[in-house]
Amino acid sequence: MSHSNPPRPKRFSATGPLTGRIAVPGDKSISHRSLMLGALAVGETRISGLLEGEDVLATAAAMRAMGASIARGDDGIWSVNGVGVGSLLQPQGALDMGNSGTSTRLLMGLVASHPIHTVFTGDASLSGRPMGRVIEPLSLMGASFEASTGGTLPLMLRGISPAVPIRYRLPVASAQVKSAVLLAGLNTAGITTIIEPVPTRDHSERMLRGFGANLEVGMENGERVIAIHGEAELRPQTITVPGDPSSAAFFVVAALLVPGSDLLITNVGLNPTRAALFDVLRDMGGKIEEQKRREVGGEPVADLRVRHSALTGVEVDPAVAPAMIDEFPVLFVAASLAQGTTTTSGLDELRVKESDRLAAMAAALQLAGANIEEREDGLVIHGTGGDALPGTPRDTGVVTHLDHRIAMSMAIAGLASRNGVEVDDTTPIATSFPTFITLLGDAAA
Ligand code: S3P
C-alpha cells in the first residue's frame, strides 16, 4: 500500500482521436464513505460500483481491522457487515493508510469517539500532510494525540467515550475536516455542529442521512450549518456508487484537446459540489454535453459527450475552487493549450494535497514546454492557442511526487504534445484510477 514498488516510468505520446464510449470507475469519496458507514451499520450493506483503488482498499483494510466483515463477491458487489456505532474494536496493529488523506482524516474522526487507541501510518507523501486540521476539533471533543513533529503521521490517537459534542467553524474549506467531525459526532451524545463558511462536497451529509442518521442542514448568516444528533443507529443500505467526476475529468480534457475526438463518458457523478470543472471548461469553449441526466444512489449523474474544441483562457473565480479542488492539475493542462491567458487564484489548499500541486504542475508543464507563472496561490498560464506542446526532453521525466493526479494530468499533456511527455512514475495512478492507462488505450484505439 505504501508505494515501496519501484517507480514505473512511461512516455505518453499523441494518439488518434478519442472516440466511442467509456465508463470511469466509482467515485472515490463515496466509496470510502460507503465502507465506513457500512462498517458502522448492523447488518449487510451491499455496494456496487465501489472504486477498487489502493486508497479505498486501505479504508476497507482499516474497517476490517476494527471488526467489520468486508468481502467482494464474484459479481463485483461488495458486502459489508458492520459492528454498530460505538462498537469499533481496538485494531491489533497500526492502520496503514498508504497515500490516502481521505482514509486518514475520516477514520481519525470515526475512532476519536470510540474508547480505543489507533496508530496511523502512511507513505512519504501522506506523512508530509497536515493533520493538525483534524487534531484540533477532535481534541476539543476529548480525543488525545501523539503526532510526529508538525502534526503529521505517524500518529497515535486515543479516542474517548463519551466524547464532548462541539460547535465548530471550519477554518479551512475541507470536506475531510467536516466529515471527520461529523463521523466523531455519530457516537457522541448530544448535537455536534459544523459551520461551513464555504460549501464543500456534501457526500457525508447525503450518505449519513441515507443510513438513517438524524442530520440537519441549514443556513445561518450565509454559512452552511450542519448538525448531527449523536448516538445514532445506522441502518444497512444498498448503494450504487456513481462514476467519479474527478476521474472523468482526465478524459474530458483529453477529448477536448485531441483533434477529431468525440467521446461519450457514461455515468458521471455531477453533484454540484464536485462538478465546477465542467462549467469552467464550457466557459473556455469546451463542447461538453450532458445526456440522460438522472439520479444514482442519491447523487445527480449524466453521460457526458465531449468533442474536440478550441479553448480560450479564462479567469477562474476562486469561489468555485472547492467544487473542483482535485481538478486543477488537469485544468492547468487544458489552459496550456488554450488561446490566451488563464488565471487561477485562491488555491493555497493545492499546496497540501498528495503533493504541492501548484509547484509540481508548474514544474511539469514547464518541462513539457508550456508557459506558466507560479504565484503564491495559483498559476497563470499562457496557452499555445491550440498548438501541441513541445513535450519533455528525451530521458527526462516530469516528477510526480507520489501524486496520482500529477501523473494522470501529465499523461493527458502527453497526448497533446509533439514529442510525448515522460512521466517518472505511473504507480501512484493505482491509488484512485487503476484502469486509467487501459481506458486511455481503449478510447484512443
Ligand atoms: C475529499 C475531500 C477533498 C479532496 C479529496 C477527497 C473527501 O479534500 O481533495 O480528494 O472525500 O472528503 P479536502 O477536504 O482536504 O479539501
Side-chain angles (χ1 to χ4, degrees), residues 62 66 89-91 93-95 107-108 111-112 114 116-121 144-146 155-159:
M66 293 190 283
L89 302 180
Q90 167 73 52
L95 301 181
L107 287 176
M108 283 171 69
V111 300
H114 281 72
I116 58 178
H117 63 267
T118 319
V119 174
F120 291 92
T121 62
S144 53
F145 295 84
E146 279 167 39
L155 69 72
M156 208 258 283
L157 188 167
R158 257 181 222 291

Side-chain angles (χ1 to χ4, degrees), residues 174-434:
S174 166
Q176 293 180 353
V177 179
K178 167 175 67 176
S179 303
V181 176
L182 291 175
L183 292 174
L186 267 180
N187 194 40
T188 302
I191 301 175
T192 299
T193 307
I194 284 282
I195 302 156
E196 197 179 39
V198 183
T200 63
R201 66 188 66 193
D202 63 356
H203 306 299
S204 293
E205 295 93 306
R206 288 174 188 246
M207 294 181 70
L208 279 163
R209 269 207 184 123
F211 271 84
N214 184 352
L215 184 122
E216 288 142 17
V217 182
M219 292 296 287
E220 276 174 28
N221 309 320
E223 301 180 325
R224 265 180 105 233
V225 179
I226 306 140
I228 185 160
H229 296 245
E231 297 185 300
E233 266 186 39
L234 300 187
R235 290 187 297 270
Q237 299 296 306
T238 299
I239 298 172
T240 305
V241 181
D244 196 327
S246 302
S247 297
F250 300 106
F251 284 88
V252 169
V253 171
L256 291 175
L257 295 184
V258 177
S261 295
D262 186 349
L263 183 67
L264 190 70
I265 311 170
T266 60
N267 190 36
V268 181
L270 290 178
N271 180 314
T273 62
R274 295 286 299 283
L277 172 75
F278 306 129
D279 297 329
V280 170
L281 290 171
R282 282 192 196 103
D283 286 350
M284 295 174 77
K287 293 177 199 142
I288 306 171
E289 204 182 295
E290 279 177 28
Q291 299 180 348
K292 295 197 203 146
R293 211 177 158 93
R294 56 203 184 267
E295 244 195 40
V296 172
E299 296 274 347
V301 159
D303 300 339
L304 296 182
R305 180 183 177 197
V306 190
R307 280 171 287 168
H308 170 64
S309 310
L311 301 178
T312 311
V314 287
E315 188 169 337
V316 180
D317 179 356
V320 305
M324 54 178 288
I325 196 68
D326 291 336
E327 284 65 75
F328 280 96
V330 79
L331 173 72
F332 298 147
V333 174
S336 299
L337 276 291
Q339 172 77 51
T341 299
T342 296
T343 310
T344 60
S345 58
L347 302 181
D348 318 70
E349 273 297 298
L350 289 196
R351 297 211 181 266
V352 291
K353 293 294 179 188
E354 285 82 331
S355 68
D356 174 344
R357 287 183 172 161
L358 293 179
M361 283 306 295
L365 282 167
Q366 279 160 356
L367 190 69
N371 184 348
I372 315 279
E373 285 170 50
E374 182 182 346
R375 294 188 178 162
E376 204 45 48
D377 68 338
L379 299 188
V380 177
I381 296 156
H382 307 285
T384 62
D387 294 342
L389 295 170
T392 55
R394 193 182 287 273
D395 299 330
T396 315
V398 298
V399 185
T400 50
H401 302 280
L402 290 179
D403 187 334
H404 54 135
R405 297 201 200 280
I406 305 297
M408 289 186 277
S409 298
M410 293 312 296
I412 301 307
L415 305 189
S417 72
R418 286 200 295 278
N419 303 319
V421 166
E422 175 91 7
V423 172
D424 70 339
D425 186 11
T426 55
T427 60
I429 293 174
T431 60
S432 71
F433 199 165

